[in-house]
Amino acid sequence: NEARKYRGKALILCEGYMDVISLHQAGFTNAVASLGTALTDGHAGILKRYTDNVIISYDSDGAGQDAALRAIPKLKNAGISVKGANLSPYKDPDELIKALGAPEYTERLNNATNGFLFEIQVLSRSFDLNDPDEKTRFGNETANRLSYIEDDLERENYLEIFCRQYGFERDIITRIIRKRLLSSEGMKYIPLNRGE
C-alpha cells in the first residue's frame, strides 16, 4: 500500500515481505513483493496499473533466479518493461544492504540488466560454456527464446548482443531461429544477412 504513493520511474519486485520491509526501512519505498508465491498474470496486471517499469530483485539463489525467469514473460505480456538486478554474491536485497549499504543497492538498480538479456545471463549459468555440447544446448535454447520475440528489430538487436557476448556465429543462430519460425508459422522469413 505504501508503494502506491511512489511516483518514480520503476517499482522494485522482491520475493517476500521481509525484503519489502527491509527495503522500505532503507528508503526504497517503491519495493513490492508477490509474498512468496509465484508471480501470476493477475499480479502483473496489478503492477501495470501503477508502473510501466519493474526491476526484479529476487534472491540470487537458484530458486530465486528460476522464479525471475518465470516472472519476466508475465510482466512483458502485461506491457511492462523489465530489468533484473544483480545481487551477487549476496542472497537477497536485505543481505546486500546490510553488507554494503543503500548506495550500493541503488547502484545495482541503476545497472540492472534488460529483461531478455537478464534471462539469458541467468540461463547461461545452467551450462558449462567451455564444453562444446553444453554450449550447443545453450545456443539452441537461446535461439528458441529469440524465436518467440515477434518484433523483428527487437529480435535482431538481442541476436547481435547475444552472439557478441557469448561467441556464437550470427548466421548460424539466425538459421536456427529461421527454422523455429518456419516450423511454427509456416512461411515467416528472416534474412540471414542485412543485405539479403
Side-chain angles (χ1 to χ4, degrees), residues 72-138:
I72 289 170
K74 293 181 187 301
L75 293 165
K76 285 174 112 176
N77 288 341
I80 295 171
S81 175
V82 187
K83 290 186 175 185
N86 179 8
L87 303 180
S88 294
Y90 302 97
K91 180 182 181 288
D92 57 30
D94 180 53
E95 193 176 284
L96 188 149
I97 290 170
K98 282 178 179 168
L100 303 178
E104 175 61 24
Y105 186 67
T106 299
E107 190 68 21
R108 301 286 180 110
L109 295 177
N110 290 339
N111 292 318
T113 306
N114 161 283
F116 183 80
L117 298 177
F118 182 75
E119 278 186 76
I120 300 310
Q121 195 177 78
V122 170
L123 184 66
S124 72
R125 296 178 195 144
S126 303
F127 298 93
D128 176 1
L129 300 183
N130 293 313
D131 180 298
D133 290 337
E134 294 266 311
K135 188 169 180 178
T136 299
R137 286 177 43 223
F138 173 58

Side-chain angles (χ1 to χ4, degrees), residues 8-13 39 44-45 47-57 68 71-85 109 112-119 154 158:
K9 189 176 177 186
L11 290 177
I12 302 167
L13 180 61
L39 189 82
L47 286 170
K48 178 63 179 169
R49 288 186 214 160
Y50 300 100
T51 189
D52 292 324
N53 302 287
V54 165
I55 300 173
I56 294 180
S57 188
I72 289 170
K74 293 181 187 301
L75 293 165
K76 285 174 112 176
N77 288 341
I80 295 171
S81 175
V82 187
K83 290 186 175 185
L109 295 177
T113 306
N114 161 283
F116 183 80
L117 298 177
F118 182 75
E119 278 186 76
E154 182 183 8
Y158 288 139

Side-chain angles (χ1 to χ4, degrees), residues 7 38 49 52 58-59 64 93 104 107 115 151 160 181:
R7 293 295 174 257
R49 288 186 214 160
D52 292 324
Y58 283 0
D59 291 1
E104 175 61 24
E107 190 68 21
D151 184 281
E160 182 180 339
L181 291 171

